[in-house]
Amino acid sequence: MVVNQSKGGSFRDLAALMQGTPGPSGGGSGPAALGSGGQRRSSLSVSSGRIIIASNHLPLRVKKASSGEWTFEWDEDALVAQAKDGLPRPQFQEVLYVGSLPVDIDLEEQEGIAIKLKEQYNCCPVYLENSVKEKFYKGFCKQQLWPLFHYILPGSPSSSQRFNVEYWQAYVKANKSFADKIVEESATDTEFVWIHDYHLLVLPSLLRKRFNRIRAGVFLHSPFPSSEIFRTFPKREELLRSLLNADLIGFHTFDYARHFLSCCSRMLGLEHETSRGSITLDYYGRTVGIKIMPTGVNPQRYLDGFTWDEFKWRRGELQAQFQGMTVMAGVDDMDSFKGIDLKLQAFERLLEYHPEWRGKVVLVQVTNPPRSTGHDITELHAFITNLVASINYKFGTPATNYVPVHYLERHVPLHERMAFYSVADCVVVTATRDGMNLVPYEYIVCRQGPDAAAATETEPAVESGPRDSMLVVSEFVGCSPSLSGAIRVNPWSVDSGYNGMYAAICMPLEHRRLRHQKHWRYVSQHTVAYWAQSYITDLMRVTKNHVTMKCYGLGLGLDTFRMVALDANFRKMEESQVAATYSSSNSRVFFLDYDGTLTAGQHTSITLAPLEEVLQVLRALTAEPRNKVVLFSGRPKAELQEWFASVPNLALVAENGCYLRLGEGQTWNTLTPGLQGADQAWVSLVVAADFGWKKMALPILQQYQESTDGSSIETKESALVWYYKEADPDFGSWQAKELLDHLEGVLSNKPVEIVGGSSAVEIKPQGVSKGQAVEKMLTQLYGYPAQADRRSGLTSSGRLPPAVGFSRLQSIDSGPAGQQQGAPTTAGAAAFASASQGGQQGDVVEKGALCKGPDFVLCIGDDRSDEDMFTSIETMRASPQMMTSEVYACTVGQKPSRAPFYLNDPGEVLHLLARLVGMNLQNLPSYS
């Protein structure tokens, strides 16, 4: 298989990776999703009535009989198998499992076994090559991702935890095999897919590349490290962006979710939002939900086990063995993160500091075999073995057969584990970092036990549990926040662990029962079925509008691929259609943003001055007498006046709508009550230009600038802006919230708006926006008043009041019949002229005095401030003056917008404008 892959191990073309062939070097995917084999798969607006659960291993137990035949049975203890009981009904009638088998199957047997598992267990096995499987699981997952997520960084150059390109490539290829199997089994492109754990973190991107509207959720069963740890990983963006290509990302605790959100903020510049208890991220038009929900256990599974003969026998044996003893228990994997060595050291200190407990307390430590190998595991195993021997030698009493530590290093079946739980007075968990750890939950259920029942003719007697319990839990495990009655300890502190153990064994029985009851209520309600139901319900809610989305894939590599979700009516602007409408129109108006729309910034000088090609196009547009062109910018008016001095008849709007200039050769001024400008062609949206608030606000901004490294202040004539984009994201965000509160208190009685935007806090006059500037400009250019003017007429001072919007006025005539569309009526022009000259004639706008508006409107912008323009344009389409107008509102870039059209970049905008005036731009630089 040939894959477009870089030397550094990056997969630059996901489409090529999914198809197994090299892809082009650039571009993106269109809105249509492709099924297997590259065939276009039809989209259905309804679910297939099932959910696909993808995990590394299928929930099956596999054995090979003496005859050589493979035998399979359902693993009822697997978490993904138990989750089936919680799926909402009747939405999901079927569950399909996709995963690998824990054993190697010969090639000639694979197809037959796959058919058998699909028919009998609804399981679809994913077969991996031995070399890929080894590097994928034991290499990348266990030696690199697992330590990273548990806060372990590689030390020496020879450490197995150092990033390995071959392991990463095997990880991606294994995820591709899972994606291929899911695509093969998918009935629609809107399937529900639930992906589990860190083994399949790039699977969401691979699936999203194939099925744009797939409903994918990921639940991470391990911790998620802080940004300071995660940012060291060479493929950090690939993992983050792939997770964000899911619709819902689940974590056990808020700490893990907080770390993930911090990584998104610091590395991708994405900020989260909270609303009514939910946390979301907006990722290119898609809402990605964050779910915080610890898993649970299936209590009935353990309660039923009290009737098993093997459980009763083992429990009775343990009760006899530890009669009269206080039993502390621990069940852990042989892993450096489980803190077994720290637990033993704490227990040793307990016996050392409190000799009265020698001969009365024992620690039963069950240690499962290690899941990975390496020098660290070998060293840990030797240390634990020696420590157990040392404790037993130091504190054991051969005469009374007292052995302080009972160390079982083997796999313990469920019935035996339940027996240990049921006789243990306390369970100790001292993991230094763990995703969830369900041992305390299992222990609580086994100490509760079923309700006691006497023996009958058909059923044996059932003995209940003691119904008291005690937990000593590390504060670094996922279950700790939910166990409010447990004694939380810092496992790294031996004294903390020893004090926790001592407090637990000295706890009065009444207190132990109260704590147990509290824990039992939680565990019995927050079961694994409850967890699954809550997660899938949220996944359904987040993805309910998927069938209406129009999706575009952008970027080819794992580090760049993202799916842009847009409104179904959002489409690229057709130049030919716009040109045809332009040619047939008689009165045209252009509302053009400058920054990011006509220039991308990086291709010009540091002052962002316009290219000569931009000036040529603008001159050609304004030279046409039927055109009126208004240029918007957030730049100061002096800069705009200097840059565009060579463009006659160009109207300018500076500082995002605060200052407006009509025509050329005019001077800037601010029209305020009691102050008249030198020329009534000028207007301003700043009605009350009292900028005294600047003297109050500027020292406050300077104070925050000094205390926030990387922040800066921009002083505009009409506004002040504090930027913190270059500051630490978390600290900058905290400071911004504090600054907003500070300013709102100080400037509460001032005519200003305080707006917290993207990495900025802006203070600007009230009522200033590009949307209102659009309305004001139309009022000035075409001579018909805005909504407020139609109600009260023009002011006695001769100035037009600030425009606030257009509405339907059925009683106003659109002008004499047969008059050229777009030309002002005589009465309307006279009324406007009179008002501009300060006379009293325009105090009332009479019926029939209004002129028609333009019959062609083109409005183009690129950022959030331009959305106000699009809103105003949409509102004005309902006015009598513009009911027959052809209006084109267009944003730059494929992103969510109120505009129905888009162009990809400033280059396409300039080409469109040049085509309208018959220009041919040969040497225009690329903006891509």
Side-chain angles (χ1 to χ4, degrees), residues 327-329 424-428 443-444 447 468-473 485-487 500-501 503-508 511-513 515-516 519:
V327 180
M328 307 180 76
D425 298 285
C426 175
V427 156
V428 183
Y443 167 66
I444 293 298
R447 291 292 285 183
D468 70 85
S469 61
M470 202 61 227
L471 287 168
V472 177
V473 178
I487 298 175
M501 291 181 180
I505 61 178
C506 293
M507 185 78 64
H511 290 186
R512 292 162 53 87
R513 286 176 175 169
R515 292 174 185 244
H516 172 80
H519 291 159

PDB file of all heavy atoms in Angstrom, residues 327-329 424-428 443-444 447 468-473 485-487 500-501 503-508 511-513 515-516 519:
ATOM      1  N   VAL A 327      -8.897  -6.364  57.944  1.00  0.00           N
ATOM      2  CA  VAL A 327      -8.358  -6.658  56.618  1.00  0.00           C
ATOM      3  C   VAL A 327      -8.390  -5.395  55.756  1.00  0.00           C
ATOM      4  O   VAL A 327      -9.442  -4.772  55.579  1.00  0.00           O
ATOM      5  CB  VAL A 327      -9.149  -7.782  55.929  1.00  0.00           C
ATOM      6  CG1 VAL A 327      -8.553  -8.071  54.542  1.00  0.00           C
ATOM      7  CG2 VAL A 327      -9.153  -9.038  56.783  1.00  0.00           C
ATOM      8  N   MET A 328      -7.226  -5.026  55.237  1.00  0.00           N
ATOM      9  CA  MET A 328      -7.128  -3.970  54.235  1.00  0.00           C
ATOM     10  C   MET A 328      -6.763  -4.642  52.922  1.00  0.00           C
ATOM     11  O   MET A 328      -5.943  -5.566  52.896  1.00  0.00           O
ATOM     12  CB  MET A 328      -6.063  -2.938  54.616  1.00  0.00           C
ATOM     13  CG  MET A 328      -6.247  -2.383  56.015  1.00  0.00           C
ATOM     14  SD  MET A 328      -5.001  -1.158  56.462  1.00  0.00           S
ATOM     15  CE  MET A 328      -5.604   0.234  55.549  1.00  0.00           C
ATOM     16  N   ALA A 329      -7.348  -4.199  51.830  1.00  0.00           N
ATOM     17  CA  ALA A 329      -7.146  -4.868  50.545  1.00  0.00           C
ATOM     18  C   ALA A 329      -6.804  -3.856  49.469  1.00  0.00           C
ATOM     19  O   ALA A 329      -7.172  -2.672  49.536  1.00  0.00           O
ATOM     20  CB  ALA A 329      -8.395  -5.655  50.143  1.00  0.00           C
ATOM     21  N   ALA A 424     -13.019  -7.529  53.230  1.00  0.00           N
ATOM     22  CA  ALA A 424     -12.101  -6.425  53.514  1.00  0.00           C
ATOM     23  C   ALA A 424     -12.824  -5.321  54.277  1.00  0.00           C
ATOM     24  O   ALA A 424     -13.900  -4.869  53.879  1.00  0.00           O
ATOM     25  CB  ALA A 424     -11.514  -5.878  52.223  1.00  0.00           C
ATOM     26  N   ASP A 425     -12.215  -4.894  55.374  1.00  0.00           N
ATOM     27  CA  ASP A 425     -12.774  -3.776  56.132  1.00  0.00           C
ATOM     28  C   ASP A 425     -12.456  -2.442  55.462  1.00  0.00           C
ATOM     29  O   ASP A 425     -13.155  -1.455  55.689  1.00  0.00           O
ATOM     30  CB  ASP A 425     -12.201  -3.773  57.554  1.00  0.00           C
ATOM     31  CG  ASP A 425     -12.559  -5.039  58.305  1.00  0.00           C
ATOM     32  OD1 ASP A 425     -13.717  -5.159  58.732  1.00  0.00           O
ATOM     33  OD2 ASP A 425     -11.671  -5.918  58.446  1.00  0.00           O
ATOM     34  N   CYS A 426     -11.423  -2.435  54.673  1.00  0.00           N
ATOM     35  CA  CYS A 426     -11.013  -1.196  54.006  1.00  0.00           C
ATOM     36  C   CYS A 426     -10.287  -1.548  52.718  1.00  0.00           C
ATOM     37  O   CYS A 426      -9.527  -2.515  52.670  1.00  0.00           O
ATOM     38  CB  CYS A 426     -10.089  -0.380  54.929  1.00  0.00           C
ATOM     39  SG  CYS A 426      -9.405   1.117  54.173  1.00  0.00           S
ATOM     40  N   VAL A 427     -10.543  -0.763  51.677  1.00  0.00           N
ATOM     41  CA  VAL A 427      -9.804  -0.895  50.426  1.00  0.00           C
ATOM     42  C   VAL A 427      -8.942   0.341  50.247  1.00  0.00           C
ATOM     43  O   VAL A 427      -9.388   1.470  50.492  1.00  0.00           O
ATOM     44  CB  VAL A 427     -10.766  -1.079  49.226  1.00  0.00           C
ATOM     45  CG1 VAL A 427     -10.113  -0.639  47.924  1.00  0.00           C
ATOM     46  CG2 VAL A 427     -11.174  -2.538  49.109  1.00  0.00           C
ATOM     47  N   VAL A 428      -7.703   0.119  49.817  1.00  0.00           N
ATOM     48  CA  VAL A 428      -6.733   1.203  49.678  1.00  0.00           C
ATOM     49  C   VAL A 428      -6.327   1.325  48.213  1.00  0.00           C
ATOM     50  O   VAL A 428      -5.898   0.347  47.592  1.00  0.00           O
ATOM     51  CB  VAL A 428      -5.489   0.950  50.550  1.00  0.00           C
ATOM     52  CG1 VAL A 428      -4.516   2.132  50.445  1.00  0.00           C
ATOM     53  CG2 VAL A 428      -5.890   0.710  51.998  1.00  0.00           C
ATOM     54  N   TYR A 443     -15.952  -2.634  45.319  1.00  0.00           N
ATOM     55  CA  TYR A 443     -15.857  -2.924  46.756  1.00  0.00           C
ATOM     56  C   TYR A 443     -17.140  -2.511  47.481  1.00  0.00           C
ATOM     57  O   TYR A 443     -17.673  -3.267  48.320  1.00  0.00           O
ATOM     58  CB  TYR A 443     -14.641  -2.209  47.317  1.00  0.00           C
ATOM     59  CG  TYR A 443     -14.574  -2.157  48.827  1.00  0.00           C
ATOM     60  CD1 TYR A 443     -14.406  -3.322  49.581  1.00  0.00           C
ATOM     61  CD2 TYR A 443     -14.668  -0.949  49.507  1.00  0.00           C
ATOM     62  CE1 TYR A 443     -14.334  -3.270  50.972  1.00  0.00           C
ATOM     63  CE2 TYR A 443     -14.597  -0.888  50.892  1.00  0.00           C
ATOM     64  CZ  TYR A 443     -14.437  -2.050  51.617  1.00  0.00           C
ATOM     65  OH  TYR A 443     -14.369  -2.002  52.991  1.00  0.00           O
ATOM     66  N   ILE A 444     -17.664  -1.330  47.148  1.00  0.00           N
ATOM     67  CA  ILE A 444     -18.887  -0.846  47.806  1.00  0.00           C
ATOM     68  C   ILE A 444     -20.042  -1.813  47.560  1.00  0.00           C
ATOM     69  O   ILE A 444     -20.806  -2.156  48.476  1.00  0.00           O
ATOM     70  CB  ILE A 444     -19.243   0.561  47.298  1.00  0.00           C
ATOM     71  CG1 ILE A 444     -18.200   1.583  47.737  1.00  0.00           C
ATOM     72  CG2 ILE A 444     -20.628   0.978  47.777  1.00  0.00           C
ATOM     73  CD1 ILE A 444     -18.083   1.747  49.225  1.00  0.00           C
ATOM     74  N   ARG A 447     -19.580  -5.024  49.588  1.00  0.00           N
ATOM     75  CA  ARG A 447     -19.832  -4.832  51.017  1.00  0.00           C
ATOM     76  C   ARG A 447     -21.318  -4.618  51.304  1.00  0.00           C
ATOM     77  O   ARG A 447     -21.789  -4.867  52.416  1.00  0.00           O
ATOM     78  CB  ARG A 447     -19.032  -3.637  51.535  1.00  0.00           C
ATOM     79  CG  ARG A 447     -17.545  -3.862  51.577  1.00  0.00           C
ATOM     80  CD  ARG A 447     -17.130  -4.887  52.600  1.00  0.00           C
ATOM     81  NE  ARG A 447     -17.183  -4.387  53.970  1.00  0.00           N
ATOM     82  CZ  ARG A 447     -16.812  -5.077  55.041  1.00  0.00           C
ATOM     83  NH1 ARG A 447     -16.365  -6.335  54.900  1.00  0.00           N
ATOM     84  NH2 ARG A 447     -16.893  -4.558  56.258  1.00  0.00           N
ATOM     85  N   ASP A 468     -21.030  -2.110  55.820  1.00  0.00           N
ATOM     86  CA  ASP A 468     -20.184  -1.016  56.280  1.00  0.00           C
ATOM     87  C   ASP A 468     -18.883  -1.126  55.495  1.00  0.00           C
ATOM     88  O   ASP A 468     -18.494  -2.211  55.067  1.00  0.00           O
ATOM     89  CB  ASP A 468     -19.930  -1.095  57.785  1.00  0.00           C
ATOM     90  CG  ASP A 468     -19.034  -2.260  58.166  1.00  0.00           C
ATOM     91  OD1 ASP A 468     -17.803  -2.105  58.102  1.00  0.00           O
ATOM     92  OD2 ASP A 468     -19.582  -3.342  58.503  1.00  0.00           O
ATOM     93  N   SER A 469     -18.246  -0.007  55.260  1.00  0.00           N
ATOM     94  CA  SER A 469     -17.031  -0.029  54.439  1.00  0.00           C
ATOM     95  C   SER A 469     -16.214   1.210  54.727  1.00  0.00           C
ATOM     96  O   SER A 469     -16.697   2.188  55.299  1.00  0.00           O
ATOM     97  CB  SER A 469     -17.387  -0.096  52.953  1.00  0.00           C
ATOM     98  OG  SER A 469     -18.135   1.050  52.565  1.00  0.00           O
ATOM     99  N   MET A 470     -14.956   1.141  54.296  1.00  0.00           N
ATOM    100  CA  MET A 470     -14.065   2.289  54.443  1.00  0.00           C
ATOM    101  C   MET A 470     -13.122   2.330  53.248  1.00  0.00           C
ATOM    102  O   MET A 470     -12.645   1.295  52.789  1.00  0.00           O
ATOM    103  CB  MET A 470     -13.272   2.182  55.748  1.00  0.00           C
ATOM    104  CG  MET A 470     -12.753   3.509  56.221  1.00  0.00           C
ATOM    105  SD  MET A 470     -14.084   4.678  56.565  1.00  0.00           S
ATOM    106  CE  MET A 470     -13.450   6.107  55.709  1.00  0.00           C
ATOM    107  N   LEU A 471     -12.879   3.532  52.737  1.00  0.00           N
ATOM    108  CA  LEU A 471     -12.041   3.703  51.551  1.00  0.00           C
ATOM    109  C   LEU A 471     -10.929   4.695  51.835  1.00  0.00           C
ATOM    110  O   LEU A 471     -11.161   5.764  52.401  1.00  0.00           O
ATOM    111  CB  LEU A 471     -12.884   4.223  50.378  1.00  0.00           C
ATOM    112  CG  LEU A 471     -13.842   3.242  49.714  1.00  0.00           C
ATOM    113  CD1 LEU A 471     -14.804   3.985  48.796  1.00  0.00           C
ATOM    114  CD2 LEU A 471     -13.066   2.191  48.926  1.00  0.00           C
ATOM    115  N   VAL A 472      -9.731   4.325  51.425  1.00  0.00           N
ATOM    116  CA  VAL A 472      -8.588   5.237  51.392  1.00  0.00           C
ATOM    117  C   VAL A 472      -8.216   5.377  49.917  1.00  0.00           C
ATOM    118  O   VAL A 472      -7.784   4.408  49.288  1.00  0.00           O
ATOM    119  CB  VAL A 472      -7.398   4.717  52.209  1.00  0.00           C
ATOM    120  CG1 VAL A 472      -6.204   5.668  52.093  1.00  0.00           C
ATOM    121  CG2 VAL A 472      -7.793   4.529  53.664  1.00  0.00           C
ATOM    122  N   VAL A 473      -8.431   6.562  49.366  1.00  0.00           N
ATOM    123  CA  VAL A 473      -8.343   6.751  47.920  1.00  0.00           C
ATOM    124  C   VAL A 473      -7.362   7.878  47.595  1.00  0.00           C
ATOM    125  O   VAL A 473      -7.391   8.940  48.225  1.00  0.00           O
ATOM    126  CB  VAL A 473      -9.733   7.068  47.312  1.00  0.00           C
ATOM    127  CG1 VAL A 473      -9.633   7.311  45.826  1.00  0.00           C
ATOM    128  CG2 VAL A 473     -10.697   5.934  47.594  1.00  0.00           C
ATOM    129  N   GLY A 485     -17.194  10.370  50.882  1.00  0.00           N
ATOM    130  CA  GLY A 485     -16.982   9.820  52.215  1.00  0.00           C
ATOM    131  C   GLY A 485     -15.652   9.115  52.375  1.00  0.00           C
ATOM    132  O   GLY A 485     -15.334   8.633  53.472  1.00  0.00           O
ATOM    133  N   ALA A 486     -14.867   9.042  51.315  1.00  0.00           N
ATOM    134  CA  ALA A 486     -13.575   8.364  51.386  1.00  0.00           C
ATOM    135  C   ALA A 486     -12.536   9.269  52.022  1.00  0.00           C
ATOM    136  O   ALA A 486     -12.658  10.497  52.041  1.00  0.00           O
ATOM    137  CB  ALA A 486     -13.125   7.950  49.986  1.00  0.00           C
ATOM    138  N   ILE A 487     -11.487   8.659  52.535  1.00  0.00           N
ATOM    139  CA  ILE A 487     -10.336   9.409  53.048  1.00  0.00           C
ATOM    140  C   ILE A 487      -9.381   9.603  51.888  1.00  0.00           C
ATOM    141  O   ILE A 487      -8.802   8.635  51.371  1.00  0.00           O
ATOM    142  CB  ILE A 487      -9.662   8.663  54.207  1.00  0.00           C
ATOM    143  CG1 ILE A 487     -10.637   8.501  55.375  1.00  0.00           C
ATOM    144  CG2 ILE A 487      -8.399   9.395  54.656  1.00  0.00           C
ATOM    145  CD1 ILE A 487     -10.092   7.674  56.529  1.00  0.00           C
ATOM    146  N   GLY A 500      -3.925   8.112  56.476  1.00  0.00           N
ATOM    147  CA  GLY A 500      -5.207   7.702  55.943  1.00  0.00           C
ATOM    148  C   GLY A 500      -5.571   6.294  56.351  1.00  0.00           C
ATOM    149  O   GLY A 500      -6.731   6.007  56.724  1.00  0.00           O
ATOM    150  N   MET A 501      -4.609   5.369  56.298  1.00  0.00           N
ATOM    151  CA  MET A 501      -4.860   3.988  56.708  1.00  0.00           C
ATOM    152  C   MET A 501      -5.218   3.909  58.187  1.00  0.00           C
ATOM    153  O   MET A 501      -6.159   3.200  58.592  1.00  0.00           O
ATOM    154  CB  MET A 501      -3.631   3.136  56.422  1.00  0.00           C
ATOM    155  CG  MET A 501      -3.338   2.898  54.963  1.00  0.00           C
ATOM    156  SD  MET A 501      -1.870   1.850  54.758  1.00  0.00           S
ATOM    157  CE  MET A 501      -1.769   1.727  52.980  1.00  0.00           C
ATOM    158  N   ALA A 503      -6.476   6.258  60.125  1.00  0.00           N
ATOM    159  CA  ALA A 503      -7.802   6.830  60.359  1.00  0.00           C
ATOM    160  C   ALA A 503      -8.901   5.864  59.942  1.00  0.00           C
ATOM    161  O   ALA A 503      -9.961   5.786  60.588  1.00  0.00           O
ATOM    162  CB  ALA A 503      -7.941   8.150  59.601  1.00  0.00           C
ATOM    163  N   ALA A 504      -8.678   5.124  58.865  1.00  0.00           N
ATOM    164  CA  ALA A 504      -9.696   4.197  58.366  1.00  0.00           C
ATOM    165  C   ALA A 504      -9.932   3.041  59.329  1.00  0.00           C
ATOM    166  O   ALA A 504     -11.084   2.674  59.609  1.00  0.00           O
ATOM    167  CB  ALA A 504      -9.281   3.669  56.995  1.00  0.00           C
ATOM    168  N   ILE A 505      -8.849   2.448  59.845  1.00  0.00           N
ATOM    169  CA  ILE A 505      -9.035   1.274  60.707  1.00  0.00           C
ATOM    170  C   ILE A 505      -9.499   1.669  62.104  1.00  0.00           C
ATOM    171  O   ILE A 505     -10.000   0.816  62.859  1.00  0.00           O
ATOM    172  CB  ILE A 505      -7.729   0.449  60.792  1.00  0.00           C
ATOM    173  CG1 ILE A 505      -6.593   1.283  61.397  1.00  0.00           C
ATOM    174  CG2 ILE A 505      -7.355  -0.087  59.427  1.00  0.00           C
ATOM    175  CD1 ILE A 505      -5.286   0.508  61.543  1.00  0.00           C
ATOM    176  N   CYS A 506      -9.353   2.958  62.457  1.00  0.00           N
ATOM    177  CA  CYS A 506      -9.820   3.424  63.756  1.00  0.00           C
ATOM    178  C   CYS A 506     -11.217   4.046  63.692  1.00  0.00           C
ATOM    179  O   CYS A 506     -11.744   4.491  64.721  1.00  0.00           O
ATOM    180  CB  CYS A 506      -8.843   4.458  64.327  1.00  0.00           C
ATOM    181  SG  CYS A 506      -7.217   3.787  64.744  1.00  0.00           S
ATOM    182  N   MET A 507     -11.806   4.109  62.517  1.00  0.00           N
ATOM    183  CA  MET A 507     -13.115   4.734  62.344  1.00  0.00           C
ATOM    184  C   MET A 507     -14.188   3.940  63.093  1.00  0.00           C
ATOM    185  O   MET A 507     -14.268   2.723  62.955  1.00  0.00           O
ATOM    186  CB  MET A 507     -13.461   4.787  60.861  1.00  0.00           C
ATOM    187  CG  MET A 507     -14.754   5.514  60.530  1.00  0.00           C
ATOM    188  SD  MET A 507     -14.601   7.304  60.575  1.00  0.00           S
ATOM    189  CE  MET A 507     -13.448   7.588  59.241  1.00  0.00           C
ATOM    190  N   PRO A 508     -15.028   4.613  63.883  1.00  0.00           N
ATOM    191  CA  PRO A 508     -16.116   3.903  64.578  1.00  0.00           C
ATOM    192  C   PRO A 508     -17.076   3.242  63.581  1.00  0.00           C
ATOM    193  O   PRO A 508     -17.274   3.728  62.466  1.00  0.00           O
ATOM    194  CB  PRO A 508     -16.813   5.027  65.362  1.00  0.00           C
ATOM    195  CG  PRO A 508     -15.784   6.101  65.499  1.00  0.00           C
ATOM    196  CD  PRO A 508     -14.954   6.028  64.254  1.00  0.00           C
ATOM    197  N   HIS A 511     -19.860   5.433  62.010  1.00  0.00           N
ATOM    198  CA  HIS A 511     -19.395   6.313  60.934  1.00  0.00           C
ATOM    199  C   HIS A 511     -19.119   5.523  59.655  1.00  0.00           C
ATOM    200  O   HIS A 511     -19.375   6.001  58.554  1.00  0.00           O
ATOM    201  CB  HIS A 511     -18.143   7.058  61.379  1.00  0.00           C
ATOM    202  CG  HIS A 511     -18.392   8.088  62.425  1.00  0.00           C
ATOM    203  ND1 HIS A 511     -17.429   8.958  62.879  1.00  0.00           N
ATOM    204  CD2 HIS A 511     -19.534   8.385  63.130  1.00  0.00           C
ATOM    205  CE1 HIS A 511     -17.941   9.746  63.810  1.00  0.00           C
ATOM    206  NE2 HIS A 511     -19.226   9.401  63.975  1.00  0.00           N
ATOM    207  N   ARG A 512     -18.587   4.322  59.806  1.00  0.00           N
ATOM    208  CA  ARG A 512     -18.317   3.491  58.632  1.00  0.00           C
ATOM    209  C   ARG A 512     -19.619   3.156  57.905  1.00  0.00           C
ATOM    210  O   ARG A 512     -19.660   3.132  56.673  1.00  0.00           O
ATOM    211  CB  ARG A 512     -17.607   2.207  59.063  1.00  0.00           C
ATOM    212  CG  ARG A 512     -16.197   2.430  59.579  1.00  0.00           C
ATOM    213  CD  ARG A 512     -15.704   1.226  60.394  1.00  0.00           C
ATOM    214  NE  ARG A 512     -15.835  -0.011  59.669  1.00  0.00           N
ATOM    215  CZ  ARG A 512     -14.897  -0.494  58.834  1.00  0.00           C
ATOM    216  NH1 ARG A 512     -13.792   0.189  58.630  1.00  0.00           N
ATOM    217  NH2 ARG A 512     -15.081  -1.635  58.226  1.00  0.00           N
ATOM    218  N   ARG A 513     -20.666   2.911  58.665  1.00  0.00           N
ATOM    219  CA  ARG A 513     -21.948   2.581  58.043  1.00  0.00           C
ATOM    220  C   ARG A 513     -22.549   3.794  57.341  1.00  0.00           C
ATOM    221  O   ARG A 513     -23.113   3.675  56.248  1.00  0.00           O
ATOM    222  CB  ARG A 513     -22.900   2.039  59.102  1.00  0.00           C
ATOM    223  CG  ARG A 513     -22.561   0.619  59.543  1.00  0.00           C
ATOM    224  CD  ARG A 513     -23.460   0.146  60.667  1.00  0.00           C
ATOM    225  NE  ARG A 513     -23.196  -1.252  60.995  1.00  0.00           N
ATOM    226  CZ  ARG A 513     -23.674  -1.875  62.055  1.00  0.00           C
ATOM    227  NH1 ARG A 513     -24.458  -1.199  62.915  1.00  0.00           N
ATOM    228  NH2 ARG A 513     -23.380  -3.146  62.282  1.00  0.00           N
ATOM    229  N   ARG A 515     -20.953   6.354  56.038  1.00  0.00           N
ATOM    230  CA  ARG A 515     -20.189   6.590  54.811  1.00  0.00           C
ATOM    231  C   ARG A 515     -20.523   5.553  53.745  1.00  0.00           C
ATOM    232  O   ARG A 515     -20.620   5.866  52.559  1.00  0.00           O
ATOM    233  CB  ARG A 515     -18.689   6.571  55.115  1.00  0.00           C
ATOM    234  CG  ARG A 515     -18.234   7.755  55.961  1.00  0.00           C
ATOM    235  CD  ARG A 515     -16.775   7.627  56.356  1.00  0.00           C
ATOM    236  NE  ARG A 515     -16.379   8.695  57.269  1.00  0.00           N
ATOM    237  CZ  ARG A 515     -15.474   9.624  57.004  1.00  0.00           C
ATOM    238  NH1 ARG A 515     -14.860   9.633  55.850  1.00  0.00           N
ATOM    239  NH2 ARG A 515     -15.162  10.545  57.906  1.00  0.00           N
ATOM    240  N   HIS A 516     -20.698   4.326  54.172  1.00  0.00           N
ATOM    241  CA  HIS A 516     -21.045   3.273  53.217  1.00  0.00           C
ATOM    242  C   HIS A 516     -22.404   3.545  52.572  1.00  0.00           C
ATOM    243  O   HIS A 516     -22.560   3.384  51.354  1.00  0.00           O
ATOM    244  CB  HIS A 516     -21.064   1.917  53.918  1.00  0.00           C
ATOM    245  CG  HIS A 516     -21.603   0.812  53.055  1.00  0.00           C
ATOM    246  ND1 HIS A 516     -20.850   0.182  52.084  1.00  0.00           N
ATOM    247  CD2 HIS A 516     -22.844   0.247  52.989  1.00  0.00           C
ATOM    248  CE1 HIS A 516     -21.585  -0.723  51.465  1.00  0.00           C
ATOM    249  NE2 HIS A 516     -22.802  -0.704  51.997  1.00  0.00           N
ATOM    250  N   HIS A 519     -22.048   6.171  49.921  1.00  0.00           N
ATOM    251  CA  HIS A 519     -21.392   5.658  48.717  1.00  0.00           C
ATOM    252  C   HIS A 519     -22.307   4.697  47.961  1.00  0.00           C
ATOM    253  O   HIS A 519     -22.326   4.700  46.726  1.00  0.00           O
ATOM    254  CB  HIS A 519     -20.086   4.948  49.098  1.00  0.00           C
ATOM    255  CG  HIS A 519     -19.032   5.889  49.583  1.00  0.00           C
ATOM    256  ND1 HIS A 519     -17.964   5.477  50.367  1.00  0.00           N
ATOM    257  CD2 HIS A 519     -18.864   7.225  49.404  1.00  0.00           C
ATOM    258  CE1 HIS A 519     -17.196   6.514  50.642  1.00  0.00           C
ATOM    259  NE2 HIS A 519     -17.728   7.586  50.073  1.00  0.00           N
TER     260      HIS A 519
END
